[in-house]
Each structure stands twice: as structure tokens, then as C-alpha cells.
Amino acid sequence: MKFTLSWLKTHLETDADLATLTDGLTNIGLELERVQDRAAALSAFKVAYVIEAVQHPNADRLRVCQVDTGSGTVSVVCGAPNARGGMKAVFAPPGSTIPDSGIVLKIGEIRGVKSAGMLVSARELGLGDDHSGIIDLPPDAPIGMPYTDFAGLGDPVIEIGVTPNRGDALSVRGVARDLAAAGFGTLKQLSSIPIAGNGPGRLRWAIEIPDACLWVLGRTIRCLRNGPSPKWLADRLVSIGLRPINALVDITNFFTIDLGRPLHVFDAGKVSGDTLSFRPGANETFRALNGRDYTATPEDCVIADASGVQSIAGVMGGADTGCDEATTEVFVECALFDPVRVALSGRRHQIVSDARQRFERGIDPALMPHAIEAATRMILELCGGEPSEIVAAGAEPAWQRTATMRLDAPEKLGGLAVPPDECADLLARLGFTLAARDAASLTVNVPSWRNDIAAGTPLDQSPDLAPDRAAASAAGRVPMEQEADLVEEILRLKGLDAIPPVSMPPLGPVPAPTLTPRQSRETLARRTLASRGLVECVTFSFMAARHAALFGPDDAALRLANPIASDLDQMRPTPIATLALAAQRNATRGFPTANLFEIGPAFRGTAAEAQRRVASGLRSGPTPRDWREPARAPDAIDARADALAVLSALGVPMDALTTTTDAPDFYHPGRSGQLRQGPKTILASFGELHPRVLAALDFAGPVAAFEIQLDAIADPKRRRRAPADLPAFQPLRRDFAFVVDAATPSDLLLRAARGAAHGAERALIAGVALFDVYAGDNVEPGRKSLGLEVTFQPRDRTLTDAEIEAACAKVVAAVGKATGAVLR
Amino acid sequence: MSDDLTSLRRETDAALAAASELRAWDAIRVGVLGKNGKLTALLKQLGTASPEERRERGAALNRLRDDLTAAIEQRRASLDAAAMDARLAAERIDVTLPPRPSGGGLIHPISRTMDEMAAIFGAMGFEIAEGPDIESDWLNFSALNIPAHHPSRQELDTFYLPAASGASPPVLRTHTSPVQARAMLTREPPFRIIAPGRTYRSDHDATHSPMFHQVEGLALARNLTLGHLKGCLSDFLRAFFGLPSLPVRFRSSYFPFTEPSMEVDIGWNRRTGELGGGGDWLEILGSGMVHPKVLANCGIDPRAWQGFAFGMGIERVTMLKLGIPDLRPFYESDLRWLRHYGFNPLLPAMLHEGVGA
């Protein structure tokens, strides 16, 4: 919302300076966005008279001008094609700064001729794009007058942000009212003397959809003469960025800003028939005032004459019945529309207009009679003409209501005790008249322009609430909303700075844990992965559908209806997908080695439980070159190590994990697996990415990736730890070399060896480790040799050689039975 | 000393001096002190001497034995030392060699900020709550007093997913505020929660990303006021930025889900970007008392419970705290950027170690 200081002062009697007013606006919730004080930047530039302009002796395109600046005559060298003797121009004296270039002018010589200043173009003053010549002022411009005064630019332009609840502040008057209430002056009275009309006029209203158009006033003015607006009106519109069109149109734009009251003028001569109807659109196309064609749907409320749609109500008028310089008879529309209807029509047709902005926030219904009289008066002043009587349809809706607050509410809700008299006074200044007051509460009448207070709009309660809970909370809302509405008004006028801050009262001497166990797992997983050398990333949750399809089902339910870009249109099935793209980007930048991880959502549906929290990571590119170890490609076992490290850190019992070779399809089928706890629960997948996936990403790879299902990991149980096992006897170790079919998983042998001892000897085998995998010479083709180190832990005495022999034999037997392996 | 003893002494000294390694040294030892050694032989001959002679020669032999034993052991020690010196010289390596590459993992600044927020708000009794990224229209909008036609719904630039037949389409949550509604529906007041997480708006330029992060806060009790909101946020901002006297300003504003509403500014220097002084104000978050309609929509009786809510951009405060000039690299996973702004995983955010640095 933009307005100028002088415009504000047509409604506000104030001595406050600009800075005081703008600070005040921000404090009361009408946040200052910008002040453009052009007078300050342009104060040095004055109207001057060019006495003569003669050819420069040494330059073809320059002229030497003798300029009367009002305080003496100076010589100025000028290159503008339109510089000529006898013109009025804008003079920049030495010492002034040219806004466009930032250059500070000095007295100088140009090709041997003295130049003591400059004649400037509009662009050089930052006032537009015109640089075809210097500003050419009318002959009556007073010499020596500051140009900003002459051009009406001396008026600071104030721009504020108006929050969606404050339709009333989308008007200069509304802003003035708020400032007056906050103590920055006095609101001027609106003069309101009705203008007597002569006869009913030719046009009348018909409302077919009373829920869309509640009330409308209209008036015909004939025998008028339309033309350009007078300078004061044109300047006012230009100053806030509106283009003057003609007096009739400008008057409607003026009242839109001045009173927040959009009006429309039909050229009565162009209206077919004698009735303008508010009716549903019938899929008719019409051309709007912005020059575009729109097709009004049955959901839109349109204004139509005998020939069809002439306007989308409250949004934009039509070109066919618009007023131009030839208009001699006008029909003024002043209507009240349902805000929701206007909002939906505006959104449907993607029309943003000053009218729509105000209608959808709510218009002051009581202002309508005044507004049409004020508009009539201005039309008569500027265009002449003969007004008809006002014609109306519908009726003023009942907007009257009260709001009540308890007297201690400012303290109980706002933390600031405000004396009851002061509450009543502050509200009165905003237009809330006192309806009732007792020892405990205050009831006020809500003014017509404040549709946001005690609005009582319907609740939208959760359908899952128990009926008594729903009813109790709904009943509580009514008084508390009114109270909050009024407390907010009181506090914003008092200034929130007045509220003393209070630190949060502690809930206990030591704060309870902030994280749930699941959240703690996530944090621990993050630290574990980072401490293993992976760098945490945050990648987008959406990606290109064609890439997402490489990593999961092509799910139309997870495709955005309105993506911001075609490569961000699908919710990712796994962060591995976006991490792979990130690694590929790093490789393209010249950093082929990227060890990355991300903890975030993987989307397998739109339900809450289908949005899983996962910890994903990958290692791509060669390991770093080292003087001791050659670089190598990351492999599935690296990814398995990362996954196991996280699961171990999160307290998953490692002995209970099994590995299956059924990882998702985006992995290499022969170089991937899943880590399971029990038959059903998948805790993680790992492996090298499928070569086809890498090729589709145009990524050389290989890439070893993993994904840990954080939601699948059980909360740790609170359990006392068993006493530590610290046998007094030394463990002893024996190595075994087993030859087994090459396809046999090593895990089978390890498990069999670990479980080789039974019963009382169960604890004898304390550990089994794989130390060698060999295939080649001395091992038959299709078989491999696995070296296992088994640790035996005697419990109560040193083992005899015979006992050791027997234990080793059990290991060989168990492994052989489970896998067919034989000792090498 | 008789000549034979003198010559044995001289002979042995010479041999020891010539012995350059342990084997030669041992041969000398055995040749002198061994069972068949020269000194041993001389001692054996002592029995054949007269008692007079025996006493005298015995004493001389004993002296010689002690001297030779000492000389031999001394030589052994010097040979050992030389051998150790030689070994150490042979084992010398280049200790300036770089170690095996390892580590280098880092925590993303967004996670760091979330951890710091958890630490600071946690100390004020807040717990972390969560909700999904894909939300229902009701939780993202309607519950929060943003009906379908509300002007502020358009300003939020919502991403939509396909609707199941007859239902309103799910949305990518435009703010973390739906977690407020989830908390009110599932928890019994009083409670205090914060909800950090991903949020989405259809906006992409130098200062907007289609995905970003917010933290939501909600505290409900019988008697919390705007004063507590001011205190809570001032306390947080000063701890988070490590500036105990950070200027904090509260301005009236409007959000559909709070009333009264206020925006919070912190003091900074617009020109240098330095926080704390400078006389300029920087808008940093929105807040207010929970709107009675929001409470009622979620089944909480506004007559019994009241409280405050706030929402803050995580990237925004991270950029301010760390002096990061540009938003977009947060999501680009450029290793150079991550290495520059990432955090050591072994320095978790803990109040007793300080998070305001």
C-alpha cells in the first residue's frame, strides 16, 4: 500500500515529522517497507531559463547555453538535441549529485568553454527512462523554483505492508485512523452532504445471486465532459505508481486508494439495455480493461448488460463499456461483494487488481452511501454533468456486533496490565464505541470497517475429536477470540515494547531430555557417519521423475501437480538418488571422490508412515591415493561397513543380524545385500549401484551406497548390563583353512564355527574371524579357500591338548555339516 | 705380576679391542674364562704350587680374574651399544611422511543449527516434535485458521500432490506449523515443543529455495503470556548468537494462527552484516499467542489453555550466525562449500561446551 505524506495529511491533522510517522506505522503493525523522499535527493535541482543556445566553437554536437538560474546567469555546455534558447529546463548547479550516475558536478571546461552546471534529462534525475533530451518545462514554470516543487515530487512516498486481516488499512483514511488512534494526530471528519439527483437515470441494477452481491448503489451522470485529470489528481496517482487515464477512471482509482472503496464507471452510452445484472458467468468471453480476454465461469459473479458480460464483479471491469475521452454519460457502480467469491474469481482468472485486493479482504459496508456521494461530487467538479438519483439493489447487510473482554485480559494474555479506562479509550480511538462495562468486563461495538474483529468465522475442527471435547473447545473459542482481538488492538497501540519480557518458568530443576529415542538415534547415526569420513549433505526432497524412476517405483501419487521445474517434479524414493546426483555434480566439478551422506525422508507414499526417515550415504570415486596403499574403487563391503557401523552405534545386536542378497533393484544384483533382524525386519541395504543406473545418470562410478531404515530400529530397552565376562585363563587361537564351493556365503561358515560348541562348552568358542579368502592355484576351480581364526576361551582350567583337539574337531564338523566345507 | 699373567692380560685386552662383534667377543670370553680357558688353566695349575707360592700367585690370579671379567663385560656393553646404534640408524624413516588419509567427515550447518536449537530450547523445557513433509490440507492450512479462500494461502506458493478421488490434494507442508496441530491433537497440555524440519514453497531465486527449513515452537499452559514469548525468544536469540546484549525488538503483525501476533527483529548493521549493533533492524521470525480458533480446531478449550507459537527460518539464522552470504549452496552438496562450513562431528552442540561461539 503506497501513499504520499500530503495525501495522508488530507485525512490526518498532525505535526509529527515523517520519521515519527513511519516509525509509528511499523510499531502499530502497518510495517514500513519503504520511504521514497525524492525531495531530499533532488533538492538542488531548480527550474531555469535558457536565454540563448549557440553552437560550441570546437564541437559539432555541443551547444553553449546562457542559463538564468534565478540566482544569476551561468554558461552551460549541453549536448542535448533539444537544448534551445527560450526554453525552460532543469538546472543542476555545481556541487550537486546527479542521481542516475552518482557524479558530483564541478565547474569545468568542456573543449575550451567554461561550463558551470548541467541541464538534465528525466533519466539523469532517476525519474524515468527518457534520455532523448533534457527536460522541457512549460513556459510558465517559475525560474528558480525547486524542480521537485514544480513537478509535485516534493511529497515523500510511503509504502507499507498491510497484513491480510487489515483490509481497512488498504486506504489512506484507514492508515490515518490508526495513526490518530496511536496518538500521532487527529483524524479529520469526512464531509458528507448528499447530492440531490434528478430523476432515476436510465440504468438500474438487478441482483440474481444475492450471496455474491449483497448490496449495490449506482448513479447516472449525464452531459459530462471527460478528459485528462487535473494536475493534482494526476500527480497523486503518478506518485504511487498509477497511470492517469482520464478523469472518470482516475476518480475511481483515487477512491480505491483514498477510502479503500473500489468503484467502477460504466460508459452508459455503451451499455446495452437498461439493466446491469449480477449473475453467474455463462462461459462467455469478454475483454477486460487490461486488454486481455477472460471467459467467465458459472462460479464467477459477473455484471452483464443485454449484450453479455461487462465485468467480473469486484475483480476487473470490461473494455467494451469502459470510459474514455468521448464518454458523456457515466454509470457509477459502488457495490458490496462476498469476499470469498471475489477471492476465488480473482484466483481463477489470475487477475491481481487493487479492487480485488480490497474486496477479498472486506470492504466497509457502511461507507457505501458516503463513497458514491463523494465520487459524484468529484465527477461534477472535474467533468460537470447532471446526476440522477441513486439506484440501489440488495441492502446493507447487518454488520453490527459487539466484542467483550475481561478487564484483566491484557495482563493475562498480553503480559501487560492496562487500566480499564485506558483500554476503553484506546478502543474508542479506533472507533469501538462502548456498549457496556461492569466491574469485570468491557463490551464494545465493533466499527463497520473492522471485519476482522469478533468475526466469528466458522471453525474447522478435526473430525477425530471426541464430541464433548469438540463442543467444549468450540464454546471456549467465542469469548476468547473476542478477547484476543481486542487485546491485540490495545497492545499494538501501546507498543509491544511496553510488555516486560519474562523468561520461561522452569519445568523442573533439570530439564527432561529434548529428543525422543528415535531422534537421538538419528543424531547418533549422523555423528557416526561423519566420524567415518562421510560429509553430510542436505539435498532436495524432489527430483526429476525420470531419475527417481531409477531408484523406486514410478509413483504418480508422488508427482507434484505444480513443480517449480521439470527436474524437480517427483518426491524421491530414497536420498541415495539425490546423493548420487550430488556426487556426479562434484565429479563434474573435478572432484571425483565424494563420500556423502544424508539423513532425511524417503517417500514411498503420501501417508505419514510411508514417509520414512532414513540415513543414506555413498562412497564414489577412488579412495585417496596414498604412498603406502594404492587407490581403489569403493565396493559393496565398504558400504556394508558403513551400515554396520551405524547399526552397531545404535545398539542393534550384531549377532542377530543376517545378510540376504535381495537388495532393491537399483543396486548391482551380485554386489548388494540387506541386513535383517529376524526374518521380517529389514534394517539396511547396501551395495554397489547398478551399472545401468549409473549409465542413466551419466556417472562413471562405481558407487557404493547404503540406506539405513531408522524407523525400523527398536528403541533401546532400559536394562541393567550383565556383569563383565573376565575369565582368568588365557584364550588360545587356532587357524583353519576351509575349502568350500565359491558361491557359499562366508557368513555361513562363520556362523557354523561360532555355534560349533554346545551345552556346557557353549562359551568355549569366544570368537571367529575370517582372515583370508583365496581362490586360484592349489584350489580347484569353482571353489575357494577361507581362513578362519577361532578363539577358544577356557573358563575354569587350562585345556589339555586332547581337549583342544576335540574342540577343533567340533569346529571342522560343524562347518562341514553346514556348508560342505573341508579342511584344505 | 709374573710375566705370563701380564702377557695374558695384554693379549686379552688386545683381542677384546679387536673384537668388533658379539661372536668374536664370546670366543675371547670362552678362551679366557671358559672351562678350558687360559685363566682357568692357570688357576688349575695353582694346586701344584708350594703353599708359599700359592698364596701369592693365587692372589695375583684372583685379581687378574676380576680385571679380565670386568674388561670383558665392559667390552660387551660397548658392543651392545654400538649394535643398538647401528640398528637405530638402519631403522631411521622419514617421519614427515603424510599419514594414511582418514576422517574428514562433517556435519551440515543446517543440522548443526538444529542441534543448537535443541540444546537451547531444551534447556527451557522444550521437547522436539515431528511431522511428515507431505501433509493434509487440513493440517497445513485449515487447522491453522487458513481457510481455502484466505489471501495468505496464495502467498504461500504451495506445492500440491495429486488428490485421491474426492479428497483435497495433499500438500508439501509450507511451514512447520502443522506440527503444532499434530501436537495439540496428540499431547495433553501443558507442553512445550519445537519442531525443526523441511518446508516447501514454490519460489526459487537468490534468497528463496523451493525447499528450506523452519523451526516451529509451541508452548501451552494455563498462564503463558506474550511476556513469556518475548522472554523465551530473547533468551534464545541471545544464546544462539552468543550475544548476551543482542537488541531484540517486537512489532505488531498478523498471522492467521496467532493473536496477538508479533514479528521479531534483531539489531544489526545493514552495511557490514554484523549482528548486535549498528542501529538497523533485521526481521528474523514471526510469533504470537496461539489463536483461539486454532486451539478449538484441535480440541483444546481456549478458556483453559493458552500459549504461544513461533516460527523461524533455520537457513536464515544459520547464514546470519556463520556469515554465509548465499542460500542456494546449502542444497548443492558442493564439497568445497561443505568442507568450508561443515562442523566436526565430535563437537556436538552442548550447552556446557558452549553453542554460541
Side-chain angles (χ1 to χ4, degrees):
Chain A
M1 165 76 190
K2 271 186 180 179
F3 53 91
T4 65
L5 182 59
S6 71
W7 197 341
L8 178 67
K9 286 185 176 177
T10 64
H11 291 283
L12 183 69
E13 193 79 57
T14 185
D15 299 326
D17 61 17
L18 181 62
T20 308
L21 291 173
T22 54
D23 285 354
L25 285 168
T26 293
N27 262 323
I28 60 178
L30 303 175
E31 186 184 1
L32 180 73
E33 290 187 340
R34 219 154 67 102
V35 177
Q36 205 185 352
D37 192 355
R38 292 179 293 187
L42 301 178
S43 60
F45 305 103
K46 302 221 158 63
V47 177
Y49 176 64
V50 181
I51 301 165
E52 59 165 21
V54 298
Q55 182 63 44
H56 191 291
N58 304 323
D60 286 351
R61 284 200 236 162
L62 297 180
R63 263 172 286 255
V64 182
C65 305
Q66 296 306 312
V67 177
D68 177 0
T69 66
S71 49
T73 301
V74 297
S75 163
V76 173
V77 176
C78 182
N82 63 337
R84 64 187 190 279
M87 77 183 292
K88 292 273 180 67
V90 180
F91 175 69
S96 60
T97 305
I98 304 299
D100 181 44
S101 60
I103 291 170
V104 180
L105 288 184
K106 283 183 286 210
I107 298 179
E109 276 194 8
I110 298 175
R111 299 232 177 160
V113 176
K114 188 175 164 191
S115 185
M118 188 170 159
L119 299 173
V120 293
S121 71
R123 190 170 83 188
E124 282 162 333
L125 293 187
L127 296 175
D129 292 330
D130 189 359
H131 196 52
S132 58
I134 56 176
I135 296 172
D136 198 344
L137 296 176
D140 61 350
I143 298 170
M145 186 187 215
Y147 174 62
T148 51
D149 288 357
F150 175 76
L153 299 171
D155 202 5
V157 180
I158 300 165
E159 186 170 2
I160 57 170
V162 175
T163 54
N165 60 326
R166 293 295 308 277
D168 68 299
L170 286 173
S171 68
V172 180
R173 183 155 188 88
V175 173
R177 185 190 297 117
D178 255 27
L179 282 168
F184 295 100
T186 319
L187 187 67
K188 293 184 183 173
Q189 286 293 315
L190 283 180
S191 70
S192 196
I193 306 156
I195 290 165
N198 186 9
R202 188 168 65 77
L203 294 170
R204 59 187 182 84
W205 299 114
I207 297 176
E208 292 177 21
I209 28 178
D211 59 333
C213 179
L214 311 172
W215 187 25
V216 62
L217 306 177
R219 167 176 261 166
T220 309
I221 303 170
R222 29 180 223 113
C223 301
L224 52 73
R225 201 159 41 84
N226 197 14
S229 288
K231 186 166 181 315
W232 73 266
L233 178 54
D235 282 353
R236 201 148 268 180
L237 296 179
V238 166
S239 67
I240 60 162
L242 291 177
R243 188 167 55 91
I245 295 166
N246 58 52
L248 290 171
V249 174
D250 294 351
I251 288 167
T252 65
N253 287 337
F254 172 82
F255 282 108
T256 300
I257 306 298
D258 189 64
L259 297 178
R261 176 57 259 193
L263 302 169
H264 184 66
V265 282
F266 293 94
D267 185 332
K270 297 176 187 166
V271 174
S272 310
D274 60 0
T275 304
L276 283 164
S277 304
F278 295 87
R279 62 157 171 84
N283 297 314
E284 311 145 273
T285 301
F286 83 112
R287 178 153 300 174
L289 282 169
N290 62 6
R292 299 214 186 111
D293 291 343
Y294 296 94
T295 302
T297 74
E299 288 79 41
D300 295 317
C301 172
V302 302
I303 310 175
D305 66 2
S307 67
V309 176
Q310 302 303 336
S311 172
I312 297 183
V315 179
M316 192 169 279
D320 286 354
T321 50
C323 291
D324 55 32
E325 312 253 324
T327 301
T328 59
E329 184 178 13
V330 70
F331 188 59
V332 183
E333 167 209 330
C334 181
L336 186 65
F337 301 114
D338 172 49
V340 175
R341 280 294 262 268
V342 173
L344 295 177
S345 282
R347 200 183 309 173
R348 191 174 302 122
H349 298 290
Q350 298 185 357
I351 299 174
V352 178
S353 65
D354 285 332
R356 170 191 167 192
Q357 196 190 12
R358 284 160 180 78
F359 277 118
E360 70 184 13
R361 284 164 175 76
I363 293 277
D364 179 354
L367 188 66
M368 287 184 38
H370 170 85
I372 197 160
E373 297 291 4
T376 307
R377 188 172 306 112
M378 195 180 283
I379 291 171
L380 295 180
E381 274 168 25
L382 302 187
C383 307
E386 297 167 15
S388 74
E389 292 164 0
I390 290 172
V391 290
E396 180 174 349
W399 50 267
Q400 293 80 356
R401 63 199 182 280
T402 59
T404 300
M405 67 171 231
R406 290 167 296 176
L407 296 175
D408 59 2
E411 183 172 20
K412 283 198 159 160
L413 185 66
L416 181 72
V418 181
D421 285 346
E422 192 181 352
C423 291
D425 177 52
L426 288 168
L427 290 171
R429 287 201 252 161
L430 287 167
F432 295 83
T433 55
L434 190 64
R437 183 169 156 183
D438 59 29
S441 69
L442 186 67
T443 300
V444 289
N445 298 301
V446 178
S448 57
W449 55 86
R450 289 305 298 269
N451 65 355
D452 59 321
I453 305 286
T457 48
L459 287 178
D460 194 343
Q461 288 187 300
S462 166
D464 303 330
L465 295 177
D468 53 338
R469 187 178 166 188
S473 54
R477 166 261 179 143
V478 177
M480 300 316 286
E481 184 181 15
Q482 292 183 12
E483 201 160 274
D485 286 343
L486 297 179
V487 167
E488 178 170 63
E489 295 303 306
I490 291 164
L491 292 179
R492 76 183 175 90
L493 294 185
K494 291 281 289 176
L496 299 177
D497 284 341
I499 301 170
V502 184
S503 289
M504 291 299 280
L507 297 174
V510 177
T514 310
L515 305 186
T516 62
R518 205 198 59 72
Q519 291 158 351
S520 293
R521 281 204 295 280
E522 186 173 315
T523 306
L524 190 51
R526 176 175 293 114
R527 288 186 207 139
T528 302
L529 290 168
S531 58
R532 291 178 57 80
L534 281 79
V535 177
E536 190 186 16
C537 299
V538 174
T539 61
F540 283 161
S541 302
F542 28 53
M543 59 187 304
R546 72 195 152 88
H547 286 153
L550 300 169
F551 291 89
D554 184 18
D555 190 346
L558 289 171
R559 186 151 317 143
L560 294 181
N562 57 337
I564 194 158
S566 61
D567 61 346
L568 296 174
D569 62 342
Q570 181 80 24
M571 302 310 289
R572 66 183 185 193
T574 161
I576 292 176
T578 46
L579 286 173
L581 291 166
Q584 189 247 25
R585 284 196 300 274
N586 276 295
T588 308
R589 281 186 203 107
F591 298 89
T593 300
N595 301 328
L596 310 175
F597 79 98
E598 175 166 2
I599 297 181
F603 298 90
R604 287 305 168 97
T606 57
E609 59 280 0
Q611 304 174 52
R612 304 186 200 142
R613 292 296 285 184
V614 300
S616 300
L618 56 79
R619 293 174 182 266
S620 72
T623 58
R625 296 178 76 183
D626 182 38
W627 53 275
R628 223 172 339 203
E629 285 163 16
R632 62 173 182 84
D635 59 29
I637 307 306
D638 293 327
R640 179 176 158 91
D642 288 327
L644 286 172
V646 172
L647 295 179
S648 168
L650 299 186
V652 173
M654 289 290 103
D655 289 345
L657 287 184
T658 54
T659 307
T660 54
T661 54
D662 53 350
D665 291 343
F666 60 85
Y667 287 110
H668 187 306
R671 296 186 171 183
S672 61
Q674 305 212 81
L675 295 168
R676 290 169 181 263
Q677 188 173 29
K680 287 209 186 111
T681 309
I682 297 170
L683 295 185
S685 66
F686 65 89
E688 293 170 32
L689 291 190
H690 198 293
R692 239 190 340 252
V693 169
L694 289 174
L697 297 177
D698 196 18
F699 192 18
V703 176
F706 63 87
E707 177 165 293
I708 297 150
Q709 305 293 330
L710 294 172
D711 296 331
I713 298 170
D715 286 348
K717 294 194 179 73
R718 273 183 88 101
R719 243 200 314 236
R720 285 180 58 173
R721 292 175 187 223
D725 180 23
L726 306 170
F729 297 89
Q730 278 195 16
L732 48 104
R733 299 180 179 87
R734 291 289 181 273
D735 289 352
F736 302 82
F738 287 107
V739 174
V740 70
D741 193 80
T744 308
S746 55
D747 190 49
L748 273 186
L749 280 77
L750 294 170
R751 279 175 185 283
R754 208 171 287 133
H758 297 286
E761 290 181 347
R762 206 172 128 66
L764 183 62
I765 296 174
V768 181
L770 180 76
F771 65 86
D772 184 44
V773 179
Y774 177 76
D777 288 347
N778 301 324
V779 175
E780 316 168 34
R783 313 235 333 142
K784 63 182 172 184
S785 164
L786 299 179
L788 268 57
E789 179 191 79
V790 178
T791 303
F792 298 99
Q793 177 60 63
R795 296 277 153 189
D796 43 12
R797 62 192 167 82
T798 309
L799 296 181
T800 65
D801 286 350
E803 284 167 329
I804 295 168
E805 281 301 310
C808 287
K810 279 183 186 161
V811 169
V812 174
V815 171
K817 187 175 172 208
T819 68
V822 293
L823 277 185
R824 190 173 163 189
Chain B
M1 195 185 287
S2 47
D3 287 352
D4 58 340
L5 298 196
T6 306
S7 71
L8 177 58
R9 172 74 208 240
R10 206 172 285 147
E11 187 182 302
T12 307
D13 282 348
L16 283 173
S20 62
E21 42 85 36
L22 215 52
R23 191 182 305 237
W25 169 84
D26 201 44
I28 298 163
R29 183 183 64 84
V30 173
V32 177
L33 300 175
K35 223 188 319 184
N36 301 314
K38 289 174 183 160
L39 183 69
T40 315
L42 292 175
L43 284 165
K44 280 181 187 157
Q45 288 163 14
L46 200 58
T48 62
S50 68
E52 194 73 356
E53 211 180 17
R54 197 189 303 169
R55 191 181 312 120
E56 192 183 320
R57 189 167 170 85
L61 271 173
N62 276 336
R63 259 199 316 278
L64 180 62
R65 188 183 56 196
D66 291 348
D67 289 352
L68 286 176
T69 303
I72 285 166
E73 285 311 313
Q74 194 183 347
R75 184 61 188 153
R76 155 102 202 206
S78 74
L79 282 175
D80 280 353
M84 180 57 81
D85 286 350
R87 174 184 159 191
L88 294 179
E91 286 176 358
R92 180 178 295 274
I93 62 161
D94 173 6
V95 296
T96 67
L97 282 168
R100 287 185 173 83
S102 71
L106 293 163
I107 302 282
H108 195 282
I110 288 175
S111 297
R112 173 72 190 189
T113 295
M114 288 184 176
D115 280 356
E116 292 180 358
M117 287 176 164
I120 299 167
F121 281 115
M124 292 193 264
F126 286 78
E127 296 169 44
I128 295 203
E130 292 168 309
D133 294 20
I134 300 174
E135 270 292 10
S136 72
D137 180 271
W138 187 80
L139 280 160
N140 195 71
F141 291 122
S142 308
L144 301 166
N145 193 27
I146 313 173
H149 55 82
H150 198 283
S152 71
R153 218 190 244 217
Q154 294 154 260
E155 289 162 20
L156 290 176
D157 300 319
T158 312
F159 285 117
Y160 292 93
L161 289 155
S165 61
S168 42
V171 301
L172 295 188
R173 63 179 180 187
T174 55
H175 43 197
T176 42
S177 308
V179 185
Q180 273 190 38
R182 287 178 175 273
M184 286 188 263
L185 289 169
T186 54
R187 295 177 188 234
E188 284 291 323
F191 60 79
R192 302 173 186 179
I193 56 142
I194 59 166
R198 291 178 181 226
T199 47
Y200 306 84
R201 290 183 198 175
S202 182
D203 210 347
H204 207 179
D205 58 34
T207 55
H208 295 90
S209 165
M211 185 191 92
F212 57 103
H213 297 73
Q214 278 190 345
V215 62
E216 192 76 11
L218 172 66
L220 284 188
R222 302 268 182 207
N223 55 4
L224 289 172
T225 72
L226 267 187
H228 292 103
L229 175 53
K230 285 182 70 172
C232 176
L233 290 175
S234 304
D235 289 342
F236 167 78
L237 291 167
R238 288 170 182 158
F240 178 78
F241 289 113
L243 297 168
S245 51
L246 179 71
V248 182
R249 178 175 84 166
F250 296 85
R251 281 184 291 109
S252 281
S253 189
Y254 166 81
F255 304 103
F257 28 91
T258 50
E259 182 169 45
S261 301
M262 55 190 192
E263 265 175 325
V264 186
D265 302 336
I266 56 174
W268 79 318
N269 184 324
R270 196 192 306 275
R271 202 172 43 78
T272 62
E274 205 169 323
L275 296 178
D280 300 318
W281 292 103
L282 179 67
E283 188 179 313
I284 195 155
L285 65 96
S287 64
M289 300 303 289
V290 183
H291 199 290
K293 282 184 74 178
V294 176
L295 293 170
N297 282 342
C298 299
I300 290 179
D301 186 343
R303 290 169 296 194
W305 300 102
Q306 65 186 42
F308 61 76
F310 58 85
M312 182 169 15
I314 287 181
E315 284 85 344
R316 183 161 176 74
V317 295
T318 306
M319 289 167 78
L320 284 171
K321 182 167 177 171
L322 303 182
I324 300 177
D326 193 0
L327 175 68
R328 283 175 287 196
F330 275 88
Y331 322 100
E332 283 170 3
S333 307
D334 183 332
L335 279 165
R336 297 165 298 180
W337 187 93
L338 292 168
R339 293 206 188 288
H340 187 78
Y341 289 113
F343 283 85
N344 181 344
L346 300 181
L347 286 175
M350 293 187 283
L351 286 179
H352 66 277
E353 293 184 356
V355 299

